[in-house]
mmCIF file of all heavy atoms in Angstrom:
data_model
loop_
_atom_site.group_PDB
_atom_site.id
_atom_site.type_symbol
_atom_site.label_atom_id
_atom_site.label_comp_id
_atom_site.label_asym_id
_atom_site.label_seq_id
_atom_site.Cartn_x
_atom_site.Cartn_y
_atom_site.Cartn_z
ATOM 1 N N GLY A 186 1.336 15.580 -16.770
ATOM 2 C CA GLY A 186 1.675 15.712 -18.181
ATOM 3 C C GLY A 186 0.638 15.064 -19.083
ATOM 4 O O GLY A 186 0.257 15.619 -20.117
ATOM 5 N N ARG A 187 0.156 13.869 -18.692
ATOM 6 C CA ARG A 187 -0.870 13.199 -19.494
ATOM 7 C C ARG A 187 -2.178 13.994 -19.495
ATOM 8 O O ARG A 187 -2.852 14.093 -20.533
ATOM 9 C CB ARG A 187 -1.096 11.783 -18.959
ATOM 10 C CG ARG A 187 0.034 10.813 -19.284
ATOM 11 C CD ARG A 187 -0.337 9.392 -18.914
ATOM 12 N NE ARG A 187 -0.332 9.184 -17.475
ATOM 13 C CZ ARG A 187 0.718 8.782 -16.786
ATOM 14 N NH1 ARG A 187 1.871 8.566 -17.403
ATOM 15 N NH2 ARG A 187 0.655 8.588 -15.483
ATOM 16 N N MET A 188 -2.536 14.562 -18.331
ATOM 17 C CA MET A 188 -3.750 15.379 -18.275
ATOM 18 C C MET A 188 -3.623 16.615 -19.161
ATOM 19 O O MET A 188 -4.563 16.995 -19.868
ATOM 20 C CB MET A 188 -4.016 15.810 -16.833
ATOM 21 C CG MET A 188 -4.488 14.696 -15.922
ATOM 22 S SD MET A 188 -4.820 15.329 -14.258
ATOM 23 C CE MET A 188 -5.539 13.874 -13.485
ATOM 24 N N GLY A 189 -2.472 17.258 -19.129
ATOM 25 C CA GLY A 189 -2.258 18.440 -19.956
ATOM 26 C C GLY A 189 -2.337 18.115 -21.432
ATOM 27 O O GLY A 189 -2.924 18.868 -22.219
ATOM 28 N N ASN A 190 -1.744 16.963 -21.836
ATOM 29 C CA ASN A 190 -1.798 16.558 -23.240
ATOM 30 C C ASN A 190 -3.234 16.271 -23.668
ATOM 31 O O ASN A 190 -3.648 16.634 -24.779
ATOM 32 C CB ASN A 190 -0.940 15.314 -23.461
ATOM 33 C CG ASN A 190 0.543 15.625 -23.381
ATOM 34 O OD1 ASN A 190 0.964 16.754 -23.607
ATOM 35 N ND2 ASN A 190 1.343 14.627 -23.054
ATOM 36 N N ALA A 191 -4.011 15.624 -22.785
ATOM 37 C CA ALA A 191 -5.408 15.316 -23.119
ATOM 38 C C ALA A 191 -6.220 16.590 -23.316
ATOM 39 O O ALA A 191 -7.018 16.704 -24.259
ATOM 40 C CB ALA A 191 -6.029 14.451 -22.019
ATOM 41 N N ALA A 192 -6.017 17.574 -22.436
ATOM 42 C CA ALA A 192 -6.738 18.841 -22.570
ATOM 43 C C ALA A 192 -6.335 19.570 -23.844
ATOM 44 O O ALA A 192 -7.178 20.130 -24.556
ATOM 45 C CB ALA A 192 -6.466 19.723 -21.347
ATOM 46 N N THR A 193 -5.049 19.540 -24.174
ATOM 47 C CA THR A 193 -4.574 20.197 -25.389
ATOM 48 C C THR A 193 -5.123 19.512 -26.629
ATOM 49 O O THR A 193 -5.537 20.174 -27.588
ATOM 50 C CB THR A 193 -3.043 20.195 -25.415
ATOM 51 O OG1 THR A 193 -2.547 20.887 -24.260
ATOM 52 C CG2 THR A 193 -2.523 20.891 -26.660
ATOM 53 N N HIS A 194 -5.124 18.180 -26.645
ATOM 54 C CA HIS A 194 -5.645 17.452 -27.803
ATOM 55 C C HIS A 194 -7.126 17.743 -28.006
ATOM 56 O O HIS A 194 -7.593 17.856 -29.151
ATOM 57 C CB HIS A 194 -5.427 15.953 -27.595
ATOM 58 C CG HIS A 194 -3.991 15.539 -27.699
ATOM 59 N ND1 HIS A 194 -3.523 14.330 -27.245
ATOM 60 C CD2 HIS A 194 -2.915 16.193 -28.191
ATOM 61 C CE1 HIS A 194 -2.227 14.255 -27.451
ATOM 62 N NE2 HIS A 194 -1.838 15.378 -28.021
ATOM 63 N N MET A 195 -7.868 17.860 -26.906
ATOM 64 C CA MET A 195 -9.290 18.155 -27.029
ATOM 65 C C MET A 195 -9.493 19.552 -27.633
ATOM 66 O O MET A 195 -10.347 19.745 -28.518
ATOM 67 C CB MET A 195 -9.954 18.078 -25.660
ATOM 68 C CG MET A 195 -11.440 18.373 -25.704
ATOM 69 S SD MET A 195 -12.207 18.327 -24.085
ATOM 70 C CE MET A 195 -13.862 18.852 -24.517
ATOM 71 N N ALA A 196 -8.710 20.523 -27.180
ATOM 72 C CA ALA A 196 -8.815 21.876 -27.732
ATOM 73 C C ALA A 196 -8.429 21.884 -29.209
ATOM 74 O O ALA A 196 -9.077 22.557 -30.026
ATOM 75 C CB ALA A 196 -7.920 22.827 -26.941
ATOM 76 N N ASP A 197 -7.393 21.118 -29.592
ATOM 77 C CA ASP A 197 -6.985 21.042 -30.992
ATOM 78 C C ASP A 197 -8.093 20.439 -31.852
ATOM 79 O O ASP A 197 -8.375 20.924 -32.952
ATOM 80 C CB ASP A 197 -5.714 20.203 -31.120
ATOM 81 C CG ASP A 197 -4.492 20.929 -30.582
ATOM 82 O OD1 ASP A 197 -4.554 22.166 -30.432
ATOM 83 O OD2 ASP A 197 -3.470 20.266 -30.319
ATOM 84 N N ALA A 198 -8.709 19.358 -31.341
ATOM 85 C CA ALA A 198 -9.787 18.716 -32.104
ATOM 86 C C ALA A 198 -10.957 19.675 -32.308
ATOM 87 O O ALA A 198 -11.560 19.721 -33.385
ATOM 88 C CB ALA A 198 -10.248 17.454 -31.377
ATOM 89 N N SER A 199 -11.282 20.456 -31.293
ATOM 90 C CA SER A 199 -12.369 21.429 -31.417
ATOM 91 C C SER A 199 -12.012 22.516 -32.421
ATOM 92 O O SER A 199 -12.847 22.926 -33.239
ATOM 93 C CB SER A 199 -12.671 22.049 -30.051
ATOM 94 O OG SER A 199 -13.036 21.062 -29.110
ATOM 95 N N ALA A 200 -10.756 22.968 -32.379
ATOM 96 C CA ALA A 200 -10.331 24.033 -33.290
ATOM 97 C C ALA A 200 -10.322 23.559 -34.745
ATOM 98 O O ALA A 200 -10.636 24.323 -35.655
ATOM 99 C CB ALA A 200 -8.938 24.536 -32.887
ATOM 100 N N ARG A 201 -9.962 22.283 -34.974
ATOM 101 C CA ARG A 201 -9.942 21.760 -36.343
ATOM 102 C C ARG A 201 -11.348 21.722 -36.947
ATOM 103 O O ARG A 201 -11.511 21.693 -38.164
ATOM 104 C CB ARG A 201 -9.337 20.357 -36.361
ATOM 105 C CG ARG A 201 -7.825 20.334 -36.223
ATOM 106 C CD ARG A 201 -7.269 18.972 -36.614
ATOM 107 N NE ARG A 201 -7.845 17.888 -35.834
ATOM 108 C CZ ARG A 201 -7.335 17.432 -34.706
ATOM 109 N NH1 ARG A 201 -6.231 17.990 -34.213
ATOM 110 N NH2 ARG A 201 -7.904 16.432 -34.052
ATOM 111 N N ASN A 202 -12.352 21.669 -36.078
ATOM 112 C CA ASN A 202 -13.740 21.610 -36.549
ATOM 113 C C ASN A 202 -14.492 22.880 -36.151
ATOM 114 O O ASN A 202 -15.660 22.833 -35.753
ATOM 115 C CB ASN A 202 -14.434 20.380 -35.957
ATOM 116 C CG ASN A 202 -13.785 19.084 -36.384
ATOM 117 O OD1 ASN A 202 -14.078 18.549 -37.443
ATOM 118 N ND2 ASN A 202 -12.878 18.571 -35.568
ATOM 119 N N ALA A 203 -13.810 24.015 -36.268
ATOM 120 C CA ALA A 203 -14.374 25.279 -35.794
ATOM 121 C C ALA A 203 -15.688 25.617 -36.487
ATOM 122 O O ALA A 203 -16.624 26.127 -35.853
ATOM 123 C CB ALA A 203 -13.353 26.402 -36.013
ATOM 124 N N GLU A 204 -15.800 25.340 -37.796
ATOM 125 C CA GLU A 204 -17.029 25.688 -38.512
ATOM 126 C C GLU A 204 -18.217 24.895 -37.981
ATOM 127 O O GLU A 204 -19.311 25.438 -37.785
ATOM 128 C CB GLU A 204 -16.837 25.435 -40.007
ATOM 129 C CG GLU A 204 -15.844 26.391 -40.663
ATOM 130 C CD GLU A 204 -15.746 26.160 -42.157
ATOM 131 O OE1 GLU A 204 -16.503 25.303 -42.670
ATOM 132 O OE2 GLU A 204 -14.927 26.821 -42.817
ATOM 133 N N VAL A 205 -18.006 23.575 -37.753
ATOM 134 C CA VAL A 205 -19.089 22.745 -37.231
ATOM 135 C C VAL A 205 -19.473 23.201 -35.829
ATOM 136 O O VAL A 205 -20.662 23.311 -35.491
ATOM 137 C CB VAL A 205 -18.663 21.263 -37.217
ATOM 138 C CG1 VAL A 205 -19.746 20.390 -36.587
ATOM 139 C CG2 VAL A 205 -18.357 20.792 -38.632
ATOM 140 N N VAL A 206 -18.465 23.487 -35.010
ATOM 141 C CA VAL A 206 -18.715 23.925 -33.637
ATOM 142 C C VAL A 206 -19.521 25.213 -33.618
ATOM 143 O O VAL A 206 -20.489 25.364 -32.857
ATOM 144 C CB VAL A 206 -17.384 24.113 -32.879
ATOM 145 C CG1 VAL A 206 -17.612 24.768 -31.520
ATOM 146 C CG2 VAL A 206 -16.688 22.766 -32.693
ATOM 147 N N ASP A 207 -19.157 26.155 -34.497
ATOM 148 C CA ASP A 207 -19.852 27.438 -34.532
ATOM 149 C C ASP A 207 -21.267 27.291 -35.090
ATOM 150 O O ASP A 207 -22.228 27.844 -34.544
ATOM 151 C CB ASP A 207 -19.044 28.425 -35.382
ATOM 152 C CG ASP A 207 -19.675 29.808 -35.404
ATOM 153 O OD1 ASP A 207 -19.838 30.410 -34.320
ATOM 154 O OD2 ASP A 207 -20.014 30.281 -36.503
ATOM 155 N N ALA A 208 -21.392 26.506 -36.152
ATOM 156 C CA ALA A 208 -22.697 26.364 -36.794
ATOM 157 C C ALA A 208 -23.707 25.679 -35.874
ATOM 158 O O ALA A 208 -24.894 26.038 -35.864
ATOM 159 C CB ALA A 208 -22.553 25.566 -38.092
ATOM 160 N N LEU A 209 -23.263 24.712 -35.092
ATOM 161 C CA LEU A 209 -24.173 23.954 -34.240
ATOM 162 C C LEU A 209 -24.252 24.516 -32.820
ATOM 163 O O LEU A 209 -24.906 23.929 -31.953
ATOM 164 C CB LEU A 209 -23.735 22.480 -34.181
ATOM 165 C CG LEU A 209 -23.706 21.749 -35.524
ATOM 166 C CD1 LEU A 209 -23.288 20.299 -35.330
ATOM 167 C CD2 LEU A 209 -25.078 21.813 -36.206
ATOM 168 N N GLY A 210 -23.591 25.647 -32.567
ATOM 169 C CA GLY A 210 -23.663 26.264 -31.246
ATOM 170 C C GLY A 210 -23.088 25.398 -30.137
ATOM 171 O O GLY A 210 -23.633 25.369 -29.022
ATOM 172 N N MET A 211 -21.986 24.696 -30.430
ATOM 173 C CA MET A 211 -21.394 23.761 -29.470
ATOM 174 C C MET A 211 -20.243 24.355 -28.668
ATOM 175 O O MET A 211 -19.658 23.668 -27.832
ATOM 176 C CB MET A 211 -20.897 22.503 -30.206
ATOM 177 C CG MET A 211 -21.995 21.727 -30.910
ATOM 178 S SD MET A 211 -21.332 20.513 -32.092
ATOM 179 C CE MET A 211 -20.292 19.537 -31.019
ATOM 180 N N LEU A 212 -19.902 25.627 -28.944
ATOM 181 C CA LEU A 212 -18.706 26.203 -28.332
ATOM 182 C C LEU A 212 -18.793 26.180 -26.805
ATOM 183 O O LEU A 212 -17.840 25.796 -26.115
ATOM 184 C CB LEU A 212 -18.501 27.632 -28.826
ATOM 185 C CG LEU A 212 -17.270 28.354 -28.258
ATOM 186 C CD1 LEU A 212 -15.987 27.617 -28.629
ATOM 187 C CD2 LEU A 212 -17.217 29.803 -28.757
ATOM 188 N N GLY A 213 -19.926 26.592 -26.243
ATOM 189 C CA GLY A 213 -20.058 26.641 -24.790
ATOM 190 C C GLY A 213 -19.907 25.280 -24.148
ATOM 191 O O GLY A 213 -19.213 25.118 -23.139
ATOM 192 N N ALA A 214 -20.558 24.255 -24.744
ATOM 193 C CA ALA A 214 -20.484 22.901 -24.172
ATOM 194 C C ALA A 214 -19.066 22.350 -24.242
ATOM 195 O O ALA A 214 -18.574 21.750 -23.282
ATOM 196 C CB ALA A 214 -21.449 21.978 -24.907
ATOM 197 N N LEU A 215 -18.402 22.569 -25.395
ATOM 198 C CA LEU A 215 -17.029 22.077 -25.534
ATOM 199 C C LEU A 215 -16.076 22.830 -24.607
ATOM 200 O O LEU A 215 -15.134 22.241 -24.064
ATOM 201 C CB LEU A 215 -16.576 22.217 -26.987
ATOM 202 C CG LEU A 215 -17.253 21.268 -27.986
ATOM 203 C CD1 LEU A 215 -16.823 21.591 -29.407
ATOM 204 C CD2 LEU A 215 -16.942 19.818 -27.659
ATOM 205 N N ARG A 216 -16.317 24.130 -24.453
ATOM 206 C CA ARG A 216 -15.477 24.911 -23.547
ATOM 207 C C ARG A 216 -15.598 24.391 -22.121
ATOM 208 O O ARG A 216 -14.598 24.288 -21.398
ATOM 209 C CB ARG A 216 -15.876 26.384 -23.608
ATOM 210 C CG ARG A 216 -14.976 27.278 -22.734
ATOM 211 C CD ARG A 216 -15.404 28.734 -22.791
ATOM 212 N NE ARG A 216 -16.744 28.905 -22.252
ATOM 213 C CZ ARG A 216 -17.789 29.339 -22.971
ATOM 214 N NH1 ARG A 216 -17.643 29.647 -24.241
ATOM 215 N NH2 ARG A 216 -18.987 29.470 -22.417
#
Side-chain angles (χ1 to χ4, degrees):
R187 287 189 287 269
M188 288 182 173
N190 288 335
T193 301
H194 289 164
M195 180 182 175
D197 288 342
S199 301
R201 284 195 303 269
N202 298 275
E204 292 183 3
V205 176
V206 171
D207 183 59
L209 300 181
M211 298 166 57
L212 180 61
L215 290 175
R216 183 181 63 243

